[in-house]
Amino acid sequence: TQKMFDKSASIEADIQGTMSVRGTINKFGFLLLMVIAGAAYSWHMFQEGQHGTVTTLLMVGVFGGLITAIAISFKPNWAGYLAPLYGLLEGLFIGAISAMMNAAFAQKYPGLVMQAVGLTFGVAIAMFLLYNFRIIKATEKFKSVIFTATLGIGIFYLLTMVLRMFGVQVSFMYDSSMLSIGISLFVVAIAALNLILDFDMIEQGAERGAPKFMEWYGAFGLLVTLVWLYLEILRLLSKLGSSK
């Protein structure tokens, strides 16, 4: 993130205007609407019994969203064009997986999805307040710890996926044991703390006069974290539901 701001040319900022916190939040609101639109469509398709279509939408959302996210990460100035597409693709994925989970836990844990949505926004608001009142400060040490933990989680998830491809089941990742629930709680906490890094990135970018397109980049980064947080909370609640 630091390199992205340092590479932003001052002449480009002069031409386009500079990044602002309000502009970033407005763009994040638009991206959130794109997610809701995509999720509503996938959910509607599932309720209509179009399960094959929903599976296709899920795959399109996963791989399309991943490709779009990688493109934005390497080309932040493309964020204004690609971030809305990312939001729509993630919406298709989230809507599909949420509808499937809602149906799977309809008897055991009714209201699973709505509770996950509520908790996600509740945690996000709590993190914003903790950052805004400087109860949690984004110091360099804090950033390095959260970055390292996030990287470790990513590597761990990748290893479990590779092992599953070779027929090795890592049961404690998916069952409802205390170890599995504990791991999910840890991941949710790290995902939540990543929001602090996003808030700091947006604030620092505005203070340094980053180019206007970085508003889209900041909004995109915040959305990525929020989607991750929602999925981890949904996974945690499903484990708690399975243990009942």
Side-chain angles (χ1 to χ4, degrees):
T1 301
Q2 186 66 38
K3 288 176 66 178
M4 290 298 180
F5 286 119
D6 292 340
K7 287 167 61 178
S8 300
S10 59
I11 186 170
E12 196 167 3
D14 292 337
I15 294 171
Q16 297 183 10
T18 56
M19 178 183 184
S20 69
V21 173
R22 176 170 293 186
T24 306
I25 297 303
N26 289 340
K27 289 173 175 59
F28 172 73
F30 177 75
L31 295 184
L32 200 58
L33 289 176
M34 298 299 289
V35 172
I36 293 171
Y41 181 73
S42 292
W43 186 282
H44 176 71
M45 288 292 101
F46 188 87
Q47 298 303 318
E48 291 292 314
Q50 304 291 329
H51 295 170
T53 302
V54 172
T55 301
T56 301
L57 292 174
L58 187 150
M59 300 305 293
V60 169
V62 169
F63 292 106
L66 179 61
I67 293 170
T68 306
I70 292 173
I72 295 173
S73 298
F74 282 100
K75 290 287 185 178
N77 56 314
W78 292 1
Y81 308 101
L82 294 181
L85 175 61
Y86 173 81
L88 186 62
L89 290 168
E90 285 300 292
L92 294 176
F93 165 63
I94 287 176
I97 198 72
S98 297
M100 292 176 181
M101 295 286 280
N102 186 66
F105 287 87
Q107 299 297 325
K108 222 171 187 182
Y109 198 154
L112 170 71
V113 172
M114 291 307 299
Q115 188 171 344
V117 171
L119 283 172
T120 300
F121 283 104
V123 170
I125 292 170
M127 288 297 106
F128 174 74
L129 293 175
L130 289 172
Y131 174 78
N132 190 55
F133 292 106
R134 298 299 188 266
I135 296 172
I136 297 180
K137 297 180 181 179
T139 62
E140 291 305 316
K141 184 176 181 180
F142 176 85
K143 292 176 185 178
S144 63
V145 169
I146 299 304
F147 176 78
T148 303
T150 304
L151 183 62
I153 290 168
I155 294 172
F156 181 63
Y157 277 2
L158 183 61
L159 285 175
T160 57
M161 288 173 60
V162 171
L163 288 172
R164 288 189 71 184
M165 289 172 61
F166 287 95
V168 179
Q169 297 298 322
V170 187
S171 59
F172 64 83
M173 278 293 293
Y174 309 101
D175 60 23
S176 56
S177 65
M178 292 303 295
L179 175 60
S180 181
I181 292 173
I183 291 172
S184 284
L185 281 170
F186 173 75
V187 176
V188 166
I190 297 300
L193 290 172
N194 265 273
L195 289 171
I196 301 294
L197 303 188
D198 293 324
F199 298 145
D200 181 68
M201 178 189 75
I202 293 168
E203 189 174 66
Q204 291 295 322
E207 288 179 357
R208 296 179 184 183
K212 196 72 173 175
F213 69 78
M214 292 300 286
E215 290 180 351
W216 283 107
Y217 186 76
F220 157 74
L222 186 57
L223 182 65
V224 169
T225 306
L226 197 68
V227 168
W228 178 33
L229 178 62
Y230 168 74
L231 292 173
E232 293 299 342
I233 288 177
L234 187 64
R235 181 197 291 242
L236 173 61
L237 292 180
S238 68
K239 291 178 181 180
L240 293 173
S242 297
S243 65
K244 290 182 179 180

